């Protein structure tokens, strides 16, 4: 229920962002011919002022010539913008659930078409299963690298629809605190003792009277992600957008206890999973 309310709130905020990005201050639908003064060179603004003294036909011809020149110049700029942002879903999930990812990203805008990105973050989990009486803890950094592709025809628009790929990796330690189901028999003494029947950690924990065993393991997880998302300009360089992620585990190192949470991925026992992100960024 809490997750449903959370995602409903994020969806509503995105709709508001779209309404802002698609309309001008006087409520009319914005087109490519009504960009603000901040988005147009001084030459275009001067042309629009001088066109006030021209006839409608002359005004239109001169403005079109200047705009085509500006668009041609912008099309030659390979690196158009750099954007830096953060995801807000992970911190909110950590408040309502038992795990969450805190992540930021840096992304380049290449000719309005390709958007290579680096995502780095830190994941934390403190999970307790009432049914099994098992507590799981993990925390570690993670990284993803990849690229998005803008599928919209207008590459200069203030909004975009993207498809992308990511490669993710994390290396972490996790603790599993579990009750001892069956107390093992005391190892043989004397000459019959050997390395093969050395006292196990579970027996030592039980001998100490705790009735539980705490194990720490190391794990490495590699995965790939398919990305579908949208991004919209809100005001100035401020952008907001969401993305859906389909994650596919590529490789996971051996483990004794199940790694219930891998930073940046989720439950490492699952070969695939879905996730959603909602990001706020600033474009320079």
């Amino acid at each position: 229920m809490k997750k449903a309310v959370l995602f409903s709130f994020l969806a509503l905020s995105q709709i508001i962002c779209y309404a802002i990005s698609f309309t001008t201050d006087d409520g009319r639908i914005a087109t490519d011919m009504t960009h603000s003064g901040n988005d147009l060179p001084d030459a275009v603004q001067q042309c629009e002022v001088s066109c006030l003294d021209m006839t409608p036909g002359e005004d239109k011809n001169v403005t079109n010539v200047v705009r085509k020149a500006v668009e041609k110049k912008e099309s030659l700029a390979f690196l158009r913008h750099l954007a830096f942002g953060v995801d807000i879903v992970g911190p909110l999930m950590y408040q309502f659930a038992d795990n969450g990812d805190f992540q930021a990203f840096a992304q380049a805008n290449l000719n309005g078409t390709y958007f290579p990105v680096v995502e780095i973050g830190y994941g934390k989990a403190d999970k307790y299963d009432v049914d099994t009486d098992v507590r799981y803890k993990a925390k570690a950094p993670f990284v993803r690298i990849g690229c998005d592709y803008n599928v919209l025809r207008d590459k200069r628009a203030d909004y975009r629809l993207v498809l992308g790929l990511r490669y993710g990796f994390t290396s972490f330690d996790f603790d599993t605190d579990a009750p001892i189901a069956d107390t093992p028999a005391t190892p043989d003494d004397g000459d019959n003792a050997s390395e093969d029947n050395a006292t196990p950690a579970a027996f030592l924990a039980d001998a100490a009277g705790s009735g539980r065993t705490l194990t720490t393991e190391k794990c490495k997880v590699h995965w790939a992600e398919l990305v579908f998302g949208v991004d919209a300009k809100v005001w100035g360089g401020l952008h907001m957008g969401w993305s859906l992620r389909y994650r596919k585990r590529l490789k996971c190192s051996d483990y004794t206890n199940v790694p219930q949470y891998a930073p940046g991925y989720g439950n490492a026992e699952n070969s695939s999973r879905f996730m959603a992100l909602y990001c706020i960024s600033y474009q320079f």
Side-chain angles (χ1 to χ4, degrees):
M1 181 62 182
K2 293 181 179 179
K3 292 184 179 179
V5 174
L6 172 61
F7 284 110
S8 298
F9 169 75
L10 296 178
L12 178 61
S13 62
Q14 185 63 28
I15 293 174
I16 295 174
C17 292
Y18 286 156
I20 296 175
S21 65
F22 281 117
T23 58
T24 59
D25 293 338
D26 57 1
R28 294 176 299 176
I29 299 299
T31 67
D32 289 340
M33 301 297 290
T34 58
H35 286 290
S36 64
N38 293 332
D39 296 333
L40 295 176
D42 294 338
V44 177
Q45 298 181 46
Q46 293 174 5
C47 174
E48 292 177 343
V49 173
S50 63
C51 285
L52 294 175
D53 299 329
M54 299 180 182
T55 64
E58 293 175 335
D59 186 312
K60 182 177 180 180
N61 291 336
V62 174
T63 303
N64 287 339
V65 170
V66 176
R67 288 189 182 281
K68 288 180 179 180
V70 173
E71 291 176 1
K72 182 177 180 180
K73 181 178 179 181
E74 289 186 351
S75 65
L76 296 177
F78 183 67
L79 177 59
R80 292 188 178 181
H81 302 284
L82 289 176
F84 301 90
V86 295
D87 166 61
I88 64 174
V89 172
L92 290 176
M93 287 189 63
Y94 190 73
Q95 296 298 321
F96 291 96
D98 48 22
N99 65 84
D101 297 328
F102 302 82
Q103 56 188 303
F105 67 90
Q107 189 171 49
N109 181 340
L110 303 183
N111 204 25
T113 304
Y114 299 99
F115 298 82
V117 62
V118 176
E119 301 170 344
I120 58 174
Y122 192 83
K124 299 174 63 177
D126 187 351
K127 307 177 65 173
Y128 176 72
D129 191 326
V130 178
D131 296 331
T132 61
D133 193 23
V134 174
R135 180 174 293 278
Y136 176 90
K137 291 184 179 182
K139 54 183 179 179
F142 62 88
V143 62
R144 304 188 200 97
I145 58 174
C147 186
D148 293 332
Y149 175 75
N150 184 9
V151 301
L152 296 182
R153 183 175 181 180
D154 186 0
K155 307 301 183 183
R156 298 175 62 249
D158 291 334
Y159 49 90
R160 57 180 179 263
L161 177 69
V162 300
L163 297 176
L165 292 172
R166 300 285 190 277
Y167 163 76
F169 171 76
T170 184
S171 178
F172 61 101
D173 295 341
F174 65 94
D175 297 333
T176 305
D177 183 3
I180 300 175
D182 297 315
T183 303
T186 304
D188 294 337
D189 296 325
D191 297 336
N192 294 330
S194 65
E195 294 181 357
D196 295 335
N197 58 8
T199 305
F203 176 80
L204 293 177
D206 184 65
S210 67
R212 304 181 65 86
T213 177
L214 175 63
T215 59
T216 300
E217 300 181 61
K218 294 182 178 293
C219 187
K220 296 181 180 180
V221 180
H222 305 254
W223 71 93
E225 296 185 10
L226 294 177
V227 181
F228 171 77
V230 295
D231 179 88
K233 176 181 176 180
V234 179
W235 179 80
L238 182 64
H239 284 240
M240 300 180 72
W242 55 264
S243 65
L244 298 177
R245 308 289 183 98
Y246 171 74
R247 295 172 177 169
K248 177 66 176 179
R249 189 189 65 204
L250 301 177
K251 184 179 180 181
C252 181
S253 57
D254 295 335
Y255 52 81
T256 301
N257 296 304
V258 176
Q260 300 179 28
Y261 168 80
Y265 178 80
N267 193 329
E269 187 181 24
N270 297 334
S271 60
S272 63
R273 66 190 307 267
F274 286 92
M275 186 60 189
L277 303 181
Y278 191 93
C279 297
I280 301 175
S281 62
Y282 195 87
Q283 181 173 278
F284 296 90

